[in-house]
């Protein structure tokens, strides 16, 4: 047996209904808020991620799956969707028809992180991106949307962590203040942070290592450095969340692991998943469209980690086992062709049907019907075939009714209707 690769996983048939239920709930909410779906390739030029996520981020430095393409260019399995959505917005000129675009996409992402519970090398995200809207109301609305989705799925123990990362006008002063503080003394920082502190000092702020947290506990806060516009914007995001009764916590340490953010940054965390507690994360990236050679358009978005959400939801969502409405138990070789016709007819009529073409004994067939959780068994032996009437057995009540072969699909449809 060749096993799957570490950090990757199979999503088995017993698990897929929860995935599907979450996706359906998300899609319904996206549609109510005016979003449309976009589907994108899972590979892009490496440069797209280097220029958007940032050269000095963990993702670009060490987590991307990158390989040479046939023309020598470097190709990367996407570690997130935002860069690709921005690329499509620019390349397909979605802005030409209307600069305001609200898009969602669902699919796999790839990061070569150290695998652990809740952290995979192929994981799935539901992402939402909005282009062309500056107003803080859209920031708040995206948080309302993500919160609503989690609430509708019955997830509890959530908190929204909120911060503002400022803009190119106000962030440099904050970065300087942070760099000055780090230059004054860095005893106790972890090896990663010692490396980060010069290249990307903001990342030192949200390092989870306790010693780094201790060093950074008196670090300056971006919110103290916001320019007037950013401060007003951030204050409106907060008051809008309060209007919608979304509880949030201001977290000056929240900087997020991707470099494209400006202004609003947020994460939705849970207390139920252990170390990997971020269920969703997002924020504004007002400069990214321009930086990737597009028009000057503001943008904001978020992504929900589907794997982690599935884990949470599976704990509470009732699991309905897959059970066929009808199990055709056809005894003997000679009836199999008939069983084939009936199973096609029932399946085409939209009746969940399972057929055993082994031609085994009734006892063996009933055992299998039981194992697959069939609601009813359609029993067909040579006697029934001769009489032109099959037997339909209700596996719960053990009641048996005759079903004429002539017009069988309609008889069964009617029976199932009456039964429900
Ligand atoms: P992110 O914070 O890197 O943001 O990822 C969003 C979510 O994806 C995380 O909160 C987590 O639930 C899930 N996630 C990330 N890495 C893993 C992993 N290795 N295994 C399992 N789940 C994981 C982004 O990706 C941004 N593109 C979000 C965004 C959209 N910002 C603006 N627009």
């Amino acid at each position: 047996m060749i096993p799957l690769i570490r950090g990757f996983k199979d999503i088995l048939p017993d698990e897929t209904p929860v995935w599907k239920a979450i996706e359906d709930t998300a899609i319904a909410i996206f549609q109510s808020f005016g979003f449309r779906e976009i589907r994108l390739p899972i590979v892009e030029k490496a440069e797209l991620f280097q220029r958007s996520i940032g050269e000095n981020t963990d993702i670009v430095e060490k987590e991307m799956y990158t390989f040479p393409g046939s023309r020598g260019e470097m190709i990367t399995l996407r570690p997130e969707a935002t860069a690709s959505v921005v690329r499509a917005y620019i390349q397909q000129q979605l802005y030409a028809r209307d600069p305001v675009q609200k898009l969602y996409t669902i699919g796999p992402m790839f990061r070569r992180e150290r695998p652990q519970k809740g952290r995979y090398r192929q994981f799935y995200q539901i992402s939402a991106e909005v282009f062309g809207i500056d107003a803080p109301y859209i920031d708040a609305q995206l948080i309302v949307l993500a919160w609503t989705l989690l609430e509708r799925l019955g997830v509890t123990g959530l908190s929204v962590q909120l911060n503002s990362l400022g803009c190119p006008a106000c962030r440099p002063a904050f970065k300087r203040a942070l760099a000055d503080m780090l230059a004054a003394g860095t005893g106790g920082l972890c090896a990663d942070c010692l490396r980060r502190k010069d290249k990307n000092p903001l990342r030192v702020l949200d390092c989870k290592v306790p010693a780094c947290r201790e060093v950074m506990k008196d670090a300056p806060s971006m919110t103290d450095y916001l320019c007037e516009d950013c401060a007003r914007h951030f204050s409106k995001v907060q008051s809008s969340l309060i209007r919608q009764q979304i509880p949030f916590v201001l977290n000056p340490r929240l900087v997020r692991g991707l470099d494209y953010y400006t202004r609003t940054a947020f994460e939705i965390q849970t207390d139920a998943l252990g170390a990997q507690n971020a269920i969703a994360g997002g924020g504004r990236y007002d400069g990214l469209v321009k930086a990737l050679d597009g028009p000057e358009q503001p943008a904001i978005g978020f992504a929900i980690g589907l794997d982690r959400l599935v884990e949470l939801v599976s704990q509470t969502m009732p699991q309905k086992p897959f059970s066929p409405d009808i199990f055709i138990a056809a005894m003997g070789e000679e009836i199999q062709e008939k069983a084939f016709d009936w199973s096609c007819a029932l399946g085409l009529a939209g009746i969940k049907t399972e057929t055993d073409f082994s031609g085994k004994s009734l006892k063996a067939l009933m055992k299998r019907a039981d194992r697959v959780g069939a609601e009813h068994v359609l029993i067909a032996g040579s006697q029934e075939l001769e009489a032109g009437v099959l037997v339909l057995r209700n596996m719960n009540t053990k009641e048996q009714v005759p079903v004429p072969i002539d017009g069988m699909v309609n008889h069964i449809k009617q029976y199932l209707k009456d039964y429900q």
Side-chain angles (χ1 to χ4, degrees):
M1 204 258 319
I2 303 161
L4 51 65
I5 304 165
R6 202 167 94 89
F8 291 74
K9 67 173 180 205
D10 301 317
I11 303 167
L12 300 174
D14 278 349
E15 299 161 338
T16 49
V18 178
W19 289 72
K20 177 89 176 43
I22 294 175
E23 288 165 10
D24 289 350
T25 311
I27 291 168
I29 295 174
F30 281 133
Q31 285 174 349
S32 345
F33 280 84
F35 283 73
R36 295 183 304 155
E37 186 184 14
I38 186 165
R39 296 191 188 197
L40 300 161
I42 57 164
V43 287
E44 298 275 1
K45 292 192 173 169
E47 198 191 341
L48 176 68
F49 302 113
Q50 288 156 354
R51 275 177 55 190
S52 54
I53 298 171
E55 293 280 6
N56 297 317
T57 55
D58 286 352
I59 296 179
V60 172
E61 269 181 355
K62 49 188 187 195
E63 295 171 358
M64 296 206 306
Y65 286 94
T66 299
F67 52 93
S70 52
R71 296 205 178 107
E73 77 279 37
M74 296 313 279
I75 290 176
T76 296
L77 289 182
R78 62 178 182 193
E80 57 118 40
T82 309
S84 305
V85 181
V86 174
R87 198 246 332 117
Y89 179 78
I90 299 168
Q91 185 175 358
Q92 312 304 340
Q93 300 187 3
L94 300 183
Y95 56 85
R97 195 149 49 109
D98 184 356
V100 175
Q101 294 284 332
K102 296 181 178 178
L103 307 167
Y104 73 86
T105 192
I106 303 177
M109 309 295 153
F110 304 84
R111 294 183 195 175
R112 194 187 272 124
E113 293 191 78
R114 198 167 51 77
Q116 63 181 81
K117 187 173 172 316
R119 197 204 269 158
Y120 310 98
R121 291 182 162 182
Q122 175 175 339
F123 59 98
Y124 295 77
Q125 283 185 345
I126 302 179
S127 320
E129 314 291 350
V130 176
F131 295 92
I133 304 180
D134 233 347
Y137 299 113
I138 199 71
D139 306 41
Q141 199 169 55
L142 280 184
I143 297 174
V144 169
L145 196 157
W147 183 266
T148 306
L149 171 59
L150 298 170
E151 218 168 38
R152 275 198 200 163
L153 292 168
V155 182
T156 53
L158 295 171
S159 80
V160 177
Q161 308 278 314
L162 191 67
N163 195 15
S164 174
L165 299 174
C167 68
C170 51
R171 199 186 304 173
F174 170 64
K175 258 184 150 169
R176 259 195 315 276
L178 202 58
D180 287 349
M181 181 210 146
L182 290 169
T186 48
L189 286 185
C190 72
D192 273 345
C193 283
L194 284 174
R195 201 168 38 80
R196 284 176 189 138
K197 78 178 170 54
D198 299 318
K199 289 200 217 155
N200 198 351
L202 285 186
R203 286 310 317 280
V204 182
L205 269 180
D206 77 345
C207 180
K208 306 278 182 295
V209 174
C212 297
R213 290 192 159 204
E214 181 58 29
V215 175
M216 300 308 285
K217 74 176 189 313
D218 299 320
S221 293
M222 180 65 229
T223 39
D224 293 332
Y225 287 78
L226 294 179
C227 61
E228 214 176 293
D229 278 355
C230 285
R232 207 177 317 116
H233 194 275
F234 191 42
S235 149
K236 202 71 185 169
V237 174
Q238 295 175 55
S239 59
S240 305
L241 288 174
I242 292 168
R243 286 173 78 84
Q244 287 301 313
Q245 295 168 0
I246 305 289
F248 61 88
V249 180
L250 291 180
N251 179 353
R253 297 280 172 274
L254 183 76
V255 295
R256 314 263 307 120
L258 307 99
D259 278 355
Y260 49 60
Y261 291 112
T262 52
R263 294 192 164 174
T264 312
F266 67 94
E267 252 176 43
I268 304 185
Q269 300 178 351
T270 163
D271 57 17
L273 281 182
Q276 302 308 316
N277 62 354
I279 278 283
R284 258 193 187 276
Y285 46 95
D286 288 342
L288 186 57
V289 180
K290 182 94 197 297
L292 291 177
D293 311 318
E296 183 131 18
Q297 286 295 343
I300 177 164
F302 72 85
I304 292 185
L306 203 37
D307 308 67
R308 295 181 190 171
L309 187 52
V310 164
E311 204 175 305
L312 281 179
V313 171
S314 311
Q315 295 165 6
T316 51
M317 191 181 272
Q319 313 261 348
K320 225 172 84 206
F322 177 80
S323 52
D325 293 325
I326 303 289
F327 181 94
I328 302 179
M331 290 166 276
E333 278 303 317
E334 64 286 1
I335 304 182
Q336 296 312 311
E337 204 164 70
K338 290 276 177 214
F340 164 73
D341 290 343
W342 299 329
S343 69
C344 291
L346 289 169
L348 289 171
I351 298 169
K352 262 197 276 170
T353 307
E354 172 70 32
T355 314
D356 186 311
F357 293 112
S358 66
K360 283 186 182 153
S361 70
L362 184 60
K363 194 170 160 216
L365 293 174
M366 292 307 278
K367 218 168 151 183
R368 177 112 208 275
D370 225 22
R371 196 179 323 135
V372 300
E375 302 267 337
H376 303 89
V377 180
L378 189 63
I379 301 169
S382 49
Q383 260 179 357
E384 286 79 12
L385 200 60
E386 214 164 278
V389 179
L390 307 183
V391 173
L392 187 65
R393 180 178 168 86
N394 183 318
M395 295 295 273
N396 293 323
T397 62
K398 312 290 177 217
E399 178 199 27
Q400 302 203 150
V401 294
V403 175
I405 293 175
D406 202 17
M408 183 184 69
V409 171
N410 284 336
H411 286 297
I412 291 183
K413 258 190 177 166
Q414 191 56 46
Y415 176 86
L416 291 175
K417 213 163 139 199
D418 293 346
Y419 175 65
Q420 275 153 9

